[in-house]
mmCIF file of all heavy atoms in Angstrom:
data_model
loop_
_atom_site.group_PDB
_atom_site.id
_atom_site.type_symbol
_atom_site.label_atom_id
_atom_site.label_comp_id
_atom_site.label_asym_id
_atom_site.label_seq_id
_atom_site.Cartn_x
_atom_site.Cartn_y
_atom_site.Cartn_z
ATOM 1 N N PRO T 159 0.824 -1.210 0.000
ATOM 2 C CA PRO T 159 0.000 0.000 0.000
ATOM 3 C C PRO T 159 0.862 1.266 0.000
ATOM 4 O O PRO T 159 1.916 1.311 0.650
ATOM 5 C CB PRO T 159 -0.810 -0.123 1.295
ATOM 6 C CG PRO T 159 -0.855 -1.598 1.569
ATOM 7 C CD PRO T 159 0.470 -2.130 1.095
ATOM 8 N N SER T 160 0.410 2.289 -0.701
ATOM 9 C CA SER T 160 1.212 3.502 -0.865
ATOM 10 C C SER T 160 1.060 4.482 0.291
ATOM 11 O O SER T 160 1.877 5.403 0.432
ATOM 12 C CB SER T 160 0.827 4.205 -2.172
ATOM 13 O OG SER T 160 -0.550 4.557 -2.159
ATOM 14 N N ASP T 161 0.027 4.297 1.128
ATOM 15 C CA ASP T 161 -0.273 5.311 2.137
ATOM 16 C C ASP T 161 -0.046 4.840 3.570
ATOM 17 O O ASP T 161 -0.388 5.544 4.515
ATOM 18 C CB ASP T 161 -1.717 5.791 1.993
ATOM 19 C CG ASP T 161 -2.729 4.644 1.975
ATOM 20 O OD1 ASP T 161 -2.293 3.480 2.038
ATOM 21 O OD2 ASP T 161 -3.942 4.917 1.879
ATOM 22 N N ILE T 162 0.554 3.657 3.765
ATOM 23 C CA ILE T 162 0.809 3.194 5.126
ATOM 24 C C ILE T 162 2.015 3.921 5.716
ATOM 25 O O ILE T 162 2.835 4.506 4.997
ATOM 26 C CB ILE T 162 1.032 1.675 5.183
ATOM 27 C CG1 ILE T 162 2.215 1.248 4.297
ATOM 28 C CG2 ILE T 162 -0.239 0.933 4.794
ATOM 29 C CD1 ILE T 162 2.592 -0.224 4.450
ATOM 30 N N GLU T 163 2.130 3.859 7.031
ATOM 31 C CA GLU T 163 3.233 4.512 7.719
ATOM 32 C C GLU T 163 4.569 3.891 7.329
ATOM 33 O O GLU T 163 4.655 2.671 7.148
ATOM 34 C CB GLU T 163 3.054 4.384 9.234
ATOM 35 C CG GLU T 163 1.854 5.098 9.805
ATOM 36 C CD GLU T 163 1.700 4.855 11.288
ATOM 37 O OE1 GLU T 163 2.152 3.790 11.764
ATOM 38 O OE2 GLU T 163 1.141 5.729 11.959
ATOM 39 N N PRO T 164 5.607 4.690 7.202
ATOM 40 C CA PRO T 164 6.936 4.119 6.984
ATOM 41 C C PRO T 164 7.423 3.414 8.247
ATOM 42 O O PRO T 164 6.898 3.613 9.338
ATOM 43 C CB PRO T 164 7.799 5.344 6.665
ATOM 44 C CG PRO T 164 7.098 6.483 7.332
ATOM 45 C CD PRO T 164 5.625 6.157 7.273
ATOM 46 N N GLY T 165 8.431 2.576 8.067
ATOM 47 C CA GLY T 165 9.023 1.889 9.207
ATOM 48 C C GLY T 165 9.154 0.404 8.975
ATOM 49 O O GLY T 165 8.948 -0.102 7.870
ATOM 50 N N ASN T 166 9.514 -0.304 10.028
ATOM 51 C CA ASN T 166 9.747 -1.743 9.959
ATOM 52 C C ASN T 166 8.436 -2.516 10.030
ATOM 53 O O ASN T 166 7.528 -2.174 10.795
ATOM 54 C CB ASN T 166 10.650 -2.190 11.105
ATOM 55 C CG ASN T 166 12.128 -1.929 10.835
ATOM 56 O OD1 ASN T 166 12.997 -2.595 11.409
ATOM 57 N ND2 ASN T 166 12.450 -0.956 9.991
ATOM 58 N N TYR T 167 8.372 -3.578 9.231
ATOM 59 C CA TYR T 167 7.214 -4.458 9.192
ATOM 60 C C TYR T 167 7.691 -5.898 9.047
ATOM 61 O O TYR T 167 8.796 -6.155 8.553
ATOM 62 C CB TYR T 167 6.314 -4.156 7.983
ATOM 63 C CG TYR T 167 5.522 -2.877 8.053
ATOM 64 C CD1 TYR T 167 6.108 -1.659 7.730
ATOM 65 C CD2 TYR T 167 4.177 -2.881 8.405
ATOM 66 C CE1 TYR T 167 5.378 -0.476 7.773
ATOM 67 C CE2 TYR T 167 3.431 -1.718 8.446
ATOM 68 C CZ TYR T 167 4.034 -0.514 8.124
ATOM 69 O OH TYR T 167 3.302 0.643 8.166
ATOM 70 N N LEU T 168 6.831 -6.827 9.442
ATOM 71 C CA LEU T 168 6.940 -8.200 8.993
ATOM 72 C C LEU T 168 5.914 -8.396 7.890
ATOM 73 O O LEU T 168 4.750 -8.008 8.029
ATOM 74 C CB LEU T 168 6.688 -9.188 10.136
ATOM 75 C CG LEU T 168 7.780 -9.303 11.192
ATOM 76 C CD1 LEU T 168 7.379 -10.308 12.260
ATOM 77 C CD2 LEU T 168 9.116 -9.704 10.568
ATOM 78 N N LEU T 169 6.367 -8.964 6.797
ATOM 79 C CA LEU T 169 5.529 -9.276 5.647
ATOM 80 C C LEU T 169 5.243 -10.769 5.686
ATOM 81 O O LEU T 169 6.164 -11.579 5.702
ATOM 82 C CB LEU T 169 6.272 -8.901 4.363
ATOM 83 C CG LEU T 169 5.577 -9.111 3.028
ATOM 84 C CD1 LEU T 169 4.450 -8.101 2.834
ATOM 85 C CD2 LEU T 169 6.601 -8.973 1.884
ATOM 86 N N ARG T 170 3.958 -11.122 5.749
ATOM 87 C CA ARG T 170 3.551 -12.528 5.884
ATOM 88 C C ARG T 170 2.937 -12.996 4.569
ATOM 89 O O ARG T 170 1.843 -12.551 4.183
ATOM 90 C CB ARG T 170 2.557 -12.683 7.042
ATOM 91 C CG ARG T 170 2.048 -14.103 7.269
ATOM 92 C CD ARG T 170 1.018 -14.116 8.403
ATOM 93 N NE ARG T 170 0.524 -15.454 8.673
ATOM 94 C CZ ARG T 170 -0.471 -16.033 8.009
ATOM 95 N NH1 ARG T 170 -1.081 -15.402 7.018
ATOM 96 N NH2 ARG T 170 -0.862 -17.256 8.328
ATOM 97 N N VAL T 171 3.622 -13.875 3.867
ATOM 98 C CA VAL T 171 3.183 -14.382 2.569
ATOM 99 C C VAL T 171 2.722 -15.822 2.757
ATOM 100 O O VAL T 171 3.424 -16.628 3.372
ATOM 101 C CB VAL T 171 4.322 -14.292 1.528
ATOM 102 C CG1 VAL T 171 3.822 -14.678 0.144
ATOM 103 C CG2 VAL T 171 4.913 -12.885 1.505
ATOM 104 N N GLU T 172 1.562 -16.157 2.187
ATOM 105 C CA GLU T 172 0.938 -17.447 2.511
ATOM 106 C C GLU T 172 0.248 -18.053 1.292
ATOM 107 O O GLU T 172 -0.372 -17.342 0.503
ATOM 108 C CB GLU T 172 -0.097 -17.201 3.612
ATOM 109 C CG GLU T 172 -0.986 -18.369 3.982
ATOM 110 C CD GLU T 172 -2.008 -17.966 5.043
ATOM 111 O OE1 GLU T 172 -2.640 -16.893 4.907
ATOM 112 O OE2 GLU T 172 -2.178 -18.731 6.016
ATOM 113 N N THR T 173 0.379 -19.353 1.150
ATOM 114 C CA THR T 173 -0.468 -20.103 0.230
ATOM 115 C C THR T 173 -1.098 -21.237 1.029
ATOM 116 O O THR T 173 -0.461 -21.814 1.920
ATOM 117 C CB THR T 173 0.319 -20.640 -0.990
ATOM 118 O OG1 THR T 173 -0.586 -21.245 -1.911
ATOM 119 C CG2 THR T 173 1.377 -21.639 -0.596
ATOM 120 N N ILE T 174 -2.368 -21.534 0.748
ATOM 121 C CA ILE T 174 -3.105 -22.550 1.493
ATOM 122 C C ILE T 174 -3.446 -23.698 0.544
ATOM 123 O O ILE T 174 -4.159 -23.501 -0.443
ATOM 124 C CB ILE T 174 -4.399 -21.987 2.114
ATOM 125 C CG1 ILE T 174 -4.102 -20.743 2.951
ATOM 126 C CG2 ILE T 174 -5.085 -23.062 2.965
ATOM 127 C CD1 ILE T 174 -5.355 -20.062 3.507
ATOM 128 N N GLY T 175 -2.925 -24.877 0.829
ATOM 129 C CA GLY T 175 -3.250 -26.062 0.042
ATOM 130 C C GLY T 175 -4.588 -26.632 0.480
ATOM 131 O O GLY T 175 -4.774 -26.985 1.645
ATOM 132 N N LEU T 176 -5.518 -26.725 -0.458
ATOM 133 C CA LEU T 176 -6.884 -27.158 -0.139
ATOM 134 C C LEU T 176 -7.201 -28.547 -0.677
ATOM 135 O O LEU T 176 -8.360 -28.962 -0.683
ATOM 136 C CB LEU T 176 -7.893 -26.149 -0.716
ATOM 137 C CG LEU T 176 -7.815 -24.724 -0.165
ATOM 138 C CD1 LEU T 176 -8.829 -23.835 -0.875
ATOM 139 C CD2 LEU T 176 -8.051 -24.704 1.350
ATOM 140 N N HIS T 177 -6.190 -29.305 -1.084
ATOM 141 C CA HIS T 177 -6.426 -30.581 -1.749
ATOM 142 C C HIS T 177 -6.987 -31.643 -0.813
ATOM 143 O O HIS T 177 -7.607 -32.606 -1.281
ATOM 144 C CB HIS T 177 -5.122 -31.085 -2.387
ATOM 145 C CG HIS T 177 -3.976 -31.166 -1.428
ATOM 146 N ND1 HIS T 177 -3.482 -30.055 -0.783
ATOM 147 C CD2 HIS T 177 -3.233 -32.218 -1.002
ATOM 148 C CE1 HIS T 177 -2.478 -30.420 0.005
ATOM 149 N NE2 HIS T 177 -2.314 -31.724 -0.108
ATOM 150 N N VAL T 178 -6.773 -31.500 0.511
ATOM 151 C CA VAL T 178 -7.335 -32.461 1.478
ATOM 152 C C VAL T 178 -8.082 -31.703 2.580
ATOM 153 O O VAL T 178 -8.048 -32.091 3.747
ATOM 154 C CB VAL T 178 -6.246 -33.376 2.074
ATOM 155 C CG1 VAL T 178 -5.751 -34.368 1.046
ATOM 156 C CG2 VAL T 178 -5.076 -32.559 2.634
ATOM 157 N N ALA T 179 -8.764 -30.630 2.207
ATOM 158 C CA ALA T 179 -9.366 -29.715 3.178
ATOM 159 C C ALA T 179 -10.839 -29.983 3.444
ATOM 160 O O ALA T 179 -11.511 -29.142 4.032
ATOM 161 C CB ALA T 179 -9.179 -28.275 2.713
ATOM 162 N N SER T 180 -11.355 -31.145 3.046
ATOM 163 C CA SER T 180 -12.787 -31.403 3.222
ATOM 164 C C SER T 180 -13.156 -31.583 4.691
ATOM 165 O O SER T 180 -14.327 -31.443 5.063
ATOM 166 C CB SER T 180 -13.217 -32.628 2.415
ATOM 167 O OG SER T 180 -12.482 -33.767 2.787
ATOM 168 N N THR T 181 -12.186 -31.918 5.551
ATOM 169 C CA THR T 181 -12.389 -31.961 6.993
ATOM 170 C C THR T 181 -11.236 -31.227 7.651
ATOM 171 O O THR T 181 -10.161 -31.063 7.060
ATOM 172 C CB THR T 181 -12.454 -33.399 7.538
ATOM 173 O OG1 THR T 181 -11.230 -34.074 7.222
ATOM 174 C CG2 THR T 181 -13.627 -34.167 6.920
ATOM 175 N N TYR T 182 -11.453 -30.782 8.905
ATOM 176 C CA TYR T 182 -10.405 -30.080 9.630
ATOM 177 C C TYR T 182 -9.849 -30.986 10.739
ATOM 178 O O TYR T 182 -10.640 -31.639 11.424
ATOM 179 C CB TYR T 182 -10.954 -28.789 10.241
ATOM 180 C CG TYR T 182 -9.913 -28.043 11.045
ATOM 181 C CD1 TYR T 182 -9.009 -27.199 10.422
ATOM 182 C CD2 TYR T 182 -9.815 -28.221 12.426
ATOM 183 C CE1 TYR T 182 -8.030 -26.545 11.148
ATOM 184 C CE2 TYR T 182 -8.835 -27.582 13.163
ATOM 185 C CZ TYR T 182 -7.953 -26.742 12.511
ATOM 186 O OH TYR T 182 -6.972 -26.106 13.224
ATOM 187 N N PRO T 183 -8.515 -30.993 10.924
ATOM 188 C CA PRO T 183 -7.502 -30.278 10.151
ATOM 189 C C PRO T 183 -7.197 -30.985 8.838
ATOM 190 O O PRO T 183 -7.050 -32.204 8.820
ATOM 191 C CB PRO T 183 -6.285 -30.289 11.072
ATOM 192 C CG PRO T 183 -6.457 -31.534 11.900
ATOM 193 C CD PRO T 183 -7.944 -31.720 12.079
ATOM 194 N N GLY T 184 -7.122 -30.236 7.792
ATOM 195 C CA GLY T 184 -6.845 -30.792 6.481
ATOM 196 C C GLY T 184 -6.145 -29.775 5.601
ATOM 197 O O GLY T 184 -5.180 -30.097 4.908
ATOM 198 N N ALA T 185 -6.618 -28.529 5.626
ATOM 199 C CA ALA T 185 -5.965 -27.466 4.864
ATOM 200 C C ALA T 185 -4.513 -27.334 5.301
ATOM 201 O O ALA T 185 -4.186 -27.477 6.486
ATOM 202 C CB ALA T 185 -6.700 -26.149 5.072
ATOM 203 N N GLN T 186 -3.626 -27.077 4.333
ATOM 204 C CA GLN T 186 -2.190 -26.979 4.601
ATOM 205 C C GLN T 186 -1.729 -25.540 4.385
ATOM 206 O O GLN T 186 -1.858 -24.997 3.284
ATOM 207 C CB GLN T 186 -1.420 -27.934 3.689
ATOM 208 C CG GLN T 186 -1.767 -29.401 3.928
ATOM 209 C CD GLN T 186 -0.971 -30.353 3.062
ATOM 210 O OE1 GLN T 186 -0.243 -29.933 2.154
ATOM 211 N NE2 GLN T 186 -1.098 -31.641 3.336
ATOM 212 N N PHE T 187 -1.205 -24.949 5.435
ATOM 213 C CA PHE T 187 -0.790 -23.549 5.404
ATOM 214 C C PHE T 187 0.727 -23.478 5.231
ATOM 215 O O PHE T 187 1.489 -23.997 6.057
ATOM 216 C CB PHE T 187 -1.206 -22.849 6.696
ATOM 217 C CG PHE T 187 -2.691 -22.848 6.931
ATOM 218 C CD1 PHE T 187 -3.296 -23.942 7.554
ATOM 219 C CD2 PHE T 187 -3.479 -21.786 6.519
ATOM 220 C CE1 PHE T 187 -4.667 -23.959 7.766
ATOM 221 C CE2 PHE T 187 -4.855 -21.806 6.725
ATOM 222 C CZ PHE T 187 -5.452 -22.892 7.347
ATOM 223 N N TYR T 188 1.142 -22.850 4.153
ATOM 224 C CA TYR T 188 2.561 -22.622 3.874
ATOM 225 C C TYR T 188 2.790 -21.121 4.019
ATOM 226 O O TYR T 188 2.169 -20.318 3.326
ATOM 227 C CB TYR T 188 2.918 -23.112 2.475
ATOM 228 C CG TYR T 188 2.650 -24.590 2.286
ATOM 229 C CD1 TYR T 188 1.426 -25.043 1.793
ATOM 230 C CD2 TYR T 188 3.608 -25.539 2.638
ATOM 231 C CE1 TYR T 188 1.172 -26.395 1.640
ATOM 232 C CE2 TYR T 188 3.359 -26.894 2.486
ATOM 233 C CZ TYR T 188 2.132 -27.312 1.989
ATOM 234 O OH TYR T 188 1.884 -28.666 1.855
ATOM 235 N N ILE T 189 3.684 -20.744 4.928
ATOM 236 C CA ILE T 189 3.832 -19.352 5.337
ATOM 237 C C ILE T 189 5.301 -18.962 5.303
ATOM 238 O O ILE T 189 6.169 -19.725 5.735
ATOM 239 C CB ILE T 189 3.294 -19.146 6.769
ATOM 240 C CG1 ILE T 189 1.860 -19.666 6.899
ATOM 241 C CG2 ILE T 189 3.360 -17.676 7.178
ATOM 242 C CD1 ILE T 189 1.576 -20.306 8.230
ATOM 243 N N GLY T 190 5.557 -17.768 4.795
ATOM 244 C CA GLY T 190 6.897 -17.210 4.867
ATOM 245 C C GLY T 190 6.821 -15.770 5.323
ATOM 246 O O GLY T 190 6.037 -14.985 4.785
ATOM 247 N N CYS T 191 7.599 -15.405 6.346
ATOM 248 C CA CYS T 191 7.639 -14.019 6.813
ATOM 249 C C CYS T 191 8.952 -13.369 6.384
ATOM 250 O O CYS T 191 10.011 -14.001 6.423
ATOM 251 C CB CYS T 191 7.475 -13.951 8.325
ATOM 252 S SG CYS T 191 5.764 -14.154 8.884
ATOM 253 N N VAL T 192 8.849 -12.102 6.007
ATOM 254 C CA VAL T 192 9.998 -11.356 5.500
ATOM 255 C C VAL T 192 10.162 -10.080 6.317
ATOM 256 O O VAL T 192 9.181 -9.369 6.580
ATOM 257 C CB VAL T 192 9.824 -10.991 4.010
ATOM 258 C CG1 VAL T 192 11.129 -10.435 3.443
ATOM 259 C CG2 VAL T 192 9.363 -12.191 3.198
ATOM 260 N N GLN T 193 11.381 -9.796 6.698
ATOM 261 C CA GLN T 193 11.704 -8.573 7.435
ATOM 262 C C GLN T 193 11.906 -7.435 6.437
ATOM 263 O O GLN T 193 12.814 -7.494 5.598
ATOM 264 C CB GLN T 193 12.983 -8.807 8.256
ATOM 265 C CG GLN T 193 12.830 -9.953 9.247
ATOM 266 C CD GLN T 193 14.133 -10.462 9.828
ATOM 267 O OE1 GLN T 193 14.134 -11.361 10.644
ATOM 268 N NE2 GLN T 193 15.274 -9.906 9.390
ATOM 269 N N ILE T 194 11.064 -6.400 6.526
ATOM 270 C CA ILE T 194 11.167 -5.303 5.565
ATOM 271 C C ILE T 194 11.153 -3.956 6.287
ATOM 272 O O ILE T 194 10.675 -3.834 7.415
ATOM 273 C CB ILE T 194 10.025 -5.341 4.514
ATOM 274 C CG1 ILE T 194 8.656 -5.101 5.165
ATOM 275 C CG2 ILE T 194 10.047 -6.652 3.748
ATOM 276 C CD1 ILE T 194 7.524 -4.931 4.140
ATOM 277 N N ASN T 195 11.681 -2.947 5.595
ATOM 278 C CA ASN T 195 11.591 -1.567 6.043
ATOM 279 C C ASN T 195 10.914 -0.764 4.950
ATOM 280 O O ASN T 195 11.437 -0.665 3.829
ATOM 281 C CB ASN T 195 12.977 -0.986 6.334
ATOM 282 C CG ASN T 195 12.895 0.447 6.817
ATOM 283 O OD1 ASN T 195 12.147 0.755 7.746
ATOM 284 N ND2 ASN T 195 13.653 1.345 6.198
ATOM 285 N N VAL T 196 9.741 -0.232 5.241
ATOM 286 C CA VAL T 196 8.974 0.531 4.264
ATOM 287 C C VAL T 196 9.415 1.988 4.316
ATOM 288 O O VAL T 196 9.446 2.617 5.388
ATOM 289 C CB VAL T 196 7.460 0.421 4.542
ATOM 290 C CG1 VAL T 196 6.670 1.347 3.624
ATOM 291 C CG2 VAL T 196 6.994 -1.022 4.364
ATOM 292 N N THR T 197 9.755 2.538 3.158
ATOM 293 C CA THR T 197 10.161 3.937 3.047
ATOM 294 C C THR T 197 9.075 4.717 2.321
ATOM 295 O O THR T 197 8.306 4.166 1.547
ATOM 296 C CB THR T 197 11.490 4.064 2.299
ATOM 297 O OG1 THR T 197 11.355 3.482 0.985
ATOM 298 C CG2 THR T 197 12.609 3.341 3.035
ATOM 299 N N GLY T 198 9.068 6.028 2.558
ATOM 300 C CA GLY T 198 8.025 6.851 1.950
ATOM 301 C C GLY T 198 6.708 6.614 2.653
ATOM 302 O O GLY T 198 6.646 6.481 3.870
ATOM 303 N N GLY T 199 5.638 6.550 1.868
ATOM 304 C CA GLY T 199 4.342 6.239 2.438
ATOM 305 C C GLY T 199 3.656 7.439 3.031
ATOM 306 O O GLY T 199 4.000 8.596 2.756
ATOM 307 N N GLY T 200 2.670 7.155 3.898
ATOM 308 C CA GLY T 200 1.860 8.212 4.480
ATOM 309 C C GLY T 200 1.701 8.021 5.967
ATOM 310 O O GLY T 200 2.666 7.705 6.669
ATOM 311 N N SER T 201 0.466 8.186 6.432
ATOM 312 C CA SER T 201 0.227 8.127 7.871
ATOM 313 C C SER T 201 -0.875 7.145 8.237
ATOM 314 O O SER T 201 -1.326 7.131 9.384
ATOM 315 C CB SER T 201 -0.142 9.520 8.391
ATOM 316 O OG SER T 201 -1.304 10.008 7.724
ATOM 317 N N VAL T 202 -1.311 6.319 7.293
ATOM 318 C CA VAL T 202 -2.429 5.412 7.540
ATOM 319 C C VAL T 202 -1.972 4.206 8.343
ATOM 320 O O VAL T 202 -0.948 3.589 8.040
ATOM 321 C CB VAL T 202 -3.064 4.953 6.211
ATOM 322 C CG1 VAL T 202 -4.154 3.918 6.471
ATOM 323 C CG2 VAL T 202 -3.639 6.154 5.463
ATOM 324 N N SER T 203 -2.743 3.883 9.363
ATOM 325 C CA SER T 203 -2.499 2.699 10.189
ATOM 326 C C SER T 203 -3.738 1.813 10.094
ATOM 327 O O SER T 203 -4.737 2.063 10.779
ATOM 328 C CB SER T 203 -2.231 3.109 11.642
ATOM 329 O OG SER T 203 -1.961 1.986 12.439
ATOM 330 N N PRO T 204 -3.730 0.786 9.237
ATOM 331 C CA PRO T 204 -4.935 -0.014 8.985
ATOM 332 C C PRO T 204 -5.411 -0.782 10.214
ATOM 333 O O PRO T 204 -4.625 -1.068 11.135
ATOM 334 C CB PRO T 204 -4.485 -0.986 7.876
ATOM 335 C CG PRO T 204 -3.280 -0.365 7.274
ATOM 336 C CD PRO T 204 -2.609 0.362 8.392
ATOM 337 N N ALA T 205 -6.695 -1.132 10.221
ATOM 338 C CA ALA T 205 -7.228 -2.028 11.244
ATOM 339 C C ALA T 205 -6.558 -3.386 11.114
ATOM 340 O O ALA T 205 -6.188 -3.815 10.014
ATOM 341 C CB ALA T 205 -8.738 -2.161 11.085
ATOM 342 N N THR T 206 -6.394 -4.080 12.228
ATOM 343 C CA THR T 206 -5.607 -5.311 12.232
ATOM 344 C C THR T 206 -6.345 -6.473 12.892
ATOM 345 O O THR T 206 -7.340 -6.287 13.583
ATOM 346 C CB THR T 206 -4.272 -5.102 12.983
ATOM 347 O OG1 THR T 206 -4.523 -4.775 14.359
ATOM 348 C CG2 THR T 206 -3.453 -3.995 12.320
#
């Protein structure tokens, strides 16, 4: 987003495998977090 506050963030990237998700637990969550520093931006702080 172009208008979020600058500064340090964790970026959470995810894909969910649904091939055996007909019952729980079944869905497979593959997650990668990235350490980033956002420059520029604005002053918006989104709901979380």
Side-chain angles (χ1 to χ4, degrees):
S160 60
D161 52 358
I162 59 173
E163 295 177 333
N166 279 204
Y167 288 81
L168 288 179
L169 181 71
R170 179 183 181 276
V171 186
E172 173 183 46
T173 186
I174 307 175
L176 298 177
H177 54 298
V178 289
S180 58
T181 59
Y182 178 83
Q186 297 182 352
F187 299 85
Y188 300 92
I189 307 143
C191 282
V192 190
Q193 301 165 179
I194 65 172
N195 181 51
V196 173
T197 58
S201 59
V202 175
S203 182
T206 63

